[in-house]
Amino acid sequence: MIPSRDFQIRPVSPAEHAALGDVSVRSYLEGGLLLKGLDDPYTPNLRDVALRAASSTVLVAVDEHPGEDGGHALLGGVTLAFHGSPMAQLAGTGEAEIRMLAVDPAAQGRGVGAALAAACVERSRADTGTKSVVLCALQDLANAHRIYTRLGFERAPDLDWSPIPDVLLWGFRLEL
C-alpha cells in the first residue's frame, strides 16, 4: 500500500467493486461528465468495476480513519490498463493507460486524484516493458490537466479523439 496524507492507495478488493462503481458514477455525474445523466451510455462502464479489474489494475483511495460503522470510506479509484488489455483505448505497444479516474465529490480537494494518478505512474514505471503512460481528458477539465502536467505529462494531440459528436478528449503522454 502507498500511504498518502490521510488515505491509502491500494488495489480494489472484490467486496469494493459496487462501492467504487457508485463513487465513479457519482463523481462523473456531479462533475457534469455524463451528458445524459444516469441514462448516459458510459454509466454502465463506470459501474462495472469487476469487468475493469478482470483485465486491468484497479486502484482505490481509502480513508485511513474508520467511519462510525468501523469501515474505511472509499474516496476514489482509477483503472490502469496496459497495452493489450480490452480496457486500453489509447495505449499502444509499450504504453499503459490511465482510465476512469474518479474521486467522490465529498473527498475532492484532498489530493486523492493526484495520488491515484501518481500511483498509476509508479506502477507503470515498475513494469519494465512500459515506456510511456497515456490518458485522455475533456478539453475543459483544467484541474485535471494541472494534475497531469505536475506529474510530467505533456499534451499529445495525436491522441485527441471524440467518443461522441461535440465532445473532444485531449490526449496526454508521459515518457518514462
Side-chain angles (χ1 to χ4, degrees), residues 51-83:
L51 180 66
R52 293 192 249 163
S55 64
S56 304
T57 300
V58 179
L59 302 175
V60 290
V62 182
D63 200 323
E64 288 185 344
H65 307 290
E68 292 178 15
D69 63 358
H72 295 274
L74 194 130
L75 306 175
V78 66
T79 299
L80 178 64
F82 290 89
H83 173 69

Side-chain angles (χ1 to χ4, degrees), residues 57 80-84 91-97 119-133 174-176:
T57 300
L80 178 64
F82 290 89
H83 173 69
T93 303
E95 293 181 326
E97 181 176 346
C120 288
V121 170
E122 185 177 304
R123 284 178 175 258
S124 298
R125 279 196 170 105
D127 183 88
T128 57
T130 302
K131 306 299 180 216
S132 62
V133 183
L174 171 64
E175 299 295 338
L176 300 177

Side-chain angles (χ1 to χ4, degrees), residues 12-30 34 36-54 58 60 74 77 79 87 99-102:
V12 69
S13 73
E16 296 167 318
H17 287 177
L20 179 56
D22 290 344
V23 164
S24 298
V25 169
R26 192 168 48 253
S27 173
Y28 275 61
L29 187 61
E30 291 191 23
L34 295 176
K36 295 181 180 179
L38 292 176
D39 293 329
D40 194 280
Y42 198 56
T43 301
N45 298 322
L46 293 169
R47 281 203 193 283
D48 198 347
V49 176
L51 180 66
R52 293 192 249 163
V58 179
V60 290
L74 194 130
T79 299
M87 292 304 302
R99 300 221 30 226
M100 299 180 185
L101 178 62

